[in-house]
Amino acid sequence: MASLSSLRFVVGALGALGLLAGCGRTVAQPVTLADLKERTLQFTLTDVDSAEREATAGSHRLTLLFSAGATCAQLAEGVTATLNGQPMKLERGGVPDTGVGGRDVCEPPRATFDFDPKQWNDEPTEDLRVILQDETHSVLLVVREAKAKRRFFRNGGDAGTLRRGQTHLYVWLPETDTVEGSAQASLLPANGGAAATLDVTQEANTSQVFVPSGTLEGKYILRLSGTAAGEVLTCEGVAGCQGALFHSEDVAVSVTP
């Protein structure tokens, strides 16, 4: 049986560790890609076309990050990341040196790629192929036909006009995507004011957007957004791969009787 003095030592040591954790003293462990093979590679493709903030950083970006583990990980030097042969920006992760006090925050290793929406719109649709590698290991992610410019296509009627009391159809493109849940729609007065959320009924990739009969006539920005599933064709070198494709766009419209 443990002596009273040894029990006091263990309790004291645990208390000291608790104080260290409470102070947020996080230490990042240098890791290779082989050390991350039991984690999940998460991806998000963001495709946002905003009438207000056209050139916002990150509006058209693919982001990859490794899921959290038992320890804070920082990629060792020598890791490379490419998207369809083009270099991605690699962030090693770890605890950022902010130079200020407070609790440390562990940032996961990640890679990003900012794409040109016009270029992707003009080029043929193709799979997204991501390769991360170093001297110890390699990770391969292929997402089916994800290299494409996404948009909502107005099916029928004048694209710049919404009639009150009627339902208007918008189709998510490309059709190879599978929309998850329902898209969202809202009307923002062009001259400022509160946004009004519109009812949307989703059927496959088609959003049926209803404009209430009490909506005031005038000029608006119709904001449409939604998320599609990313179909993973290949996931090698990690425990799993998962992610989604997000798109939002603003359309200048006039509400009429």
Side-chain angles (χ1 to χ4, degrees), residues 154 161-170 182-188 195-203 206-216 220-224 253-257:
R154 173 73 176 268
T161 301
L162 295 178
R163 295 193 177 278
R164 297 185 301 184
Q166 294 188 11
T167 296
H168 308 275
L169 305 182
Y170 290 88
S182 176
Q184 294 80 49
S186 58
L187 276 178
L188 295 80
T197 301
L198 304 180
D199 289 334
V200 179
T201 301
Q202 194 74 28
E203 291 188 4
T206 299
S207 304
Q208 303 177 13
V209 180
F210 177 72
V211 179
S213 57
T215 305
L216 296 178
Y220 292 83
I221 296 296
L222 172 65
R223 179 163 295 166
L224 301 164
V253 297
S254 295
V255 172
T256 63

Side-chain angles (χ1 to χ4, degrees), residues 128-235:
L128 281 182
R129 183 181 181 87
V130 175
I131 300 176
L132 296 94
Q133 57 186 7
D134 62 11
E135 294 182 350
T136 68
H137 195 60
S138 63
V139 176
L140 173 61
L141 166 68
V142 180
V143 186
R144 176 177 178 262
E145 298 187 357
K147 182 182 174 294
K149 179 69 185 76
R150 280 153 185 89
R151 64 186 189 276
F152 286 96
F153 173 74
R154 173 73 176 268
N155 187 1
D158 181 354
T161 301
L162 295 178
R163 295 193 177 278
R164 297 185 301 184
Q166 294 188 11
T167 296
H168 308 275
L169 305 182
Y170 290 88
V171 181
W172 173 295
L173 297 176
E175 295 178 347
T176 49
D177 287 350
T178 301
V179 175
E180 295 184 319
S182 176
Q184 294 80 49
S186 58
L187 276 178
L188 295 80
N191 296 326
T197 301
L198 304 180
D199 289 334
V200 179
T201 301
Q202 194 74 28
E203 291 188 4
N205 278 18
T206 299
S207 304
Q208 303 177 13
V209 180
F210 177 72
V211 179
S213 57
T215 305
L216 296 178
E217 297 179 38
K219 296 186 180 299
Y220 292 83
I221 296 296
L222 172 65
R223 179 163 295 166
L224 301 164
S225 64
T227 301
E231 182 181 348
V232 176
L233 296 179
T234 305
C235 178

Side-chain angles (χ1 to χ4, degrees), residues 61-98:
R61 174 178 292 176
L62 174 68
T63 301
L64 305 172
L65 60 85
F66 285 91
S67 61
T71 60
C72 182
Q74 182 180 58
L75 278 177
E77 298 284 356
V79 179
T80 62
T82 59
L83 171 66
N84 290 31
Q86 299 183 63
M88 301 182 71
K89 178 182 178 182
L90 192 66
E91 299 178 27
R92 296 170 58 205
V95 182
D97 183 8
T98 60

Side-chain angles (χ1 to χ4, degrees), residues 42-46 61-65 113 242-246:
Q42 302 166 336
F43 64 89
T44 303
L45 191 147
T46 303
R61 174 178 292 176
L62 174 68
T63 301
L64 305 172
L65 60 85
F113 182 89
Q242 61 183 30
L245 319 169
F246 175 79

Side-chain angles (χ1 to χ4, degrees), residues 106-128:
C106 180
E107 296 183 352
R110 71 177 62 206
T112 59
F113 182 89
D114 290 314
F115 64 90
D116 181 343
K118 184 179 185 304
Q119 181 180 352
W120 276 27
N121 185 65
D122 295 339
E123 293 177 348
T125 298
E126 59 182 297
D127 298 341
L128 281 182

